Amino acid sequence: MNLRMRPTSALTLLLVSLVCAAAFLWPFVTTSPAVLAHAHDAPWVFAALLGLLALVCLAEVTADGLDAKTVAVIGVLCAAGGGLRVLSAGTAGLEPMFFLLVMAGAVLGPGAGFVVGALALLTGGLLTGTIGPWVPFQMITAGWVALGAGLLPTARLGRLGRRGLLAVYGLLAGLGYGLVMNLWFWPFLATSMAPEGAGFVPGGDLATNAAHYATFYVLTSLGWDLPRGLLTAVLVWWAGPAVDRVLRRAVRRARFDASPTFVDRDVSVPQEAA
């Protein structure tokens, strides 16, 4: 069970994801070998991302998906996610925050989940003092992690099936986070800084750059991403059911999807007996 996906929210999330994907992929479609560093465009990406998050929230509000109670739950989850990031800040790839993002997305749904993922990452960056041009790209990717969890078809699965599916997704999300995040800096590495046969070729064909990136990922990133994925999967399997119950209870008590129904009743006053 998660919050219903409204058509307006779905369209907004699709638009936001396309814009965010363009922030990662534009170097691959440029024909100029002299591409600029993200240090120049990151502030613009960050400003655009904040606007896109506001757009997602607006879509949820207009579709009756967000109210004061929902915002309160999102705020608590963002703070908790930021606190979990403080525990490791990515040391050896061990980031327990992603466990909470998976559970939040699975319960709250893709729209609210995307907001939680992005803002939890920003909160963690502010708490750890690790703010730089990489932050907007981390926010995008973390939002996608929670969004993907909200799109999983868990409604018809039993408890064990849901638990297993979320654990597998946690493993894949931990790997996928690093796979995507590398794209924010890999095209801008000098050839001498990348391993041989693993550097970006400006203006090169897609097959060449894909092969070079696969080599780069295996040699430099997989050793960090695999621990993240394994830790996320273990936490989802071990602590996921308890967190899932807590979040579901919060959803039920807040009654996000409930709408008041007024029924006219004919109340007649009994006449006094003659």
Side-chain angles (χ1 to χ4, degrees), residues 93-170:
L94 301 176
E95 298 180 84
M97 179 189 74
F98 287 87
F99 150 70
L100 185 62
L101 299 187
V102 171
M103 301 309 303
V107 175
L108 296 180
F114 182 84
V115 175
V116 168
L119 294 183
L121 199 292
L122 177 61
T123 302
L126 292 173
L127 291 176
T128 57
T130 54
I131 298 295
W134 54 84
V135 170
F137 300 95
Q138 289 179 329
M139 292 172 63
I140 293 169
T141 314
W144 280 337
V145 168
L147 185 153
L151 293 175
L152 292 176
T154 59
R156 297 183 179 181
L157 298 178
R159 292 184 178 180
L160 189 61
R162 173 184 171 84
R163 185 179 179 184
L165 180 59
L166 289 176
V168 172
Y169 176 79

Side-chain angles (χ1 to χ4, degrees), residues 19 33 41 70 72 78 100 131 154 158 171 200:
V19 174
D41 62 39
T70 319
C78 291
L100 185 62
I131 298 295
T154 59
L171 173 62
F200 176 69

Side-chain angles (χ1 to χ4, degrees), residues 11-25:
L11 182 61
T12 304
L13 281 175
L14 177 60
L15 174 62
V16 169
S17 293
L18 290 175
V19 174
C20 292
F24 280 102
L25 299 177

Side-chain angles (χ1 to χ4, degrees), residues 1 244-256:
M1 179 194 74
D244 188 64
R245 285 193 298 270
V246 170
L247 292 178
R248 286 170 177 271
R249 188 179 302 118
V251 170
R252 285 195 300 269
R253 290 185 176 180
R255 297 181 62 82
F256 294 121

Side-chain angles (χ1 to χ4, degrees), residues 15-29 35-49 52 114 133-141 144 180-188:
L15 174 62
V16 169
S17 293
L18 290 175
V19 174
C20 292
F24 280 102
L25 299 177
W26 70 264
F28 293 89
V29 297
V35 292
L36 298 176
H38 271 310
H40 298 286
D41 62 39
W44 298 102
V45 174
F46 181 72
L49 179 57
L52 292 173
F114 182 84
W134 54 84
V135 170
F137 300 95
Q138 289 179 329
M139 292 172 63
I140 293 169
T141 314
W144 280 337
V180 174
M181 266 304 299
N182 291 340
L183 296 177
W184 90 270
F185 69 89
W186 178 67
F188 308 99

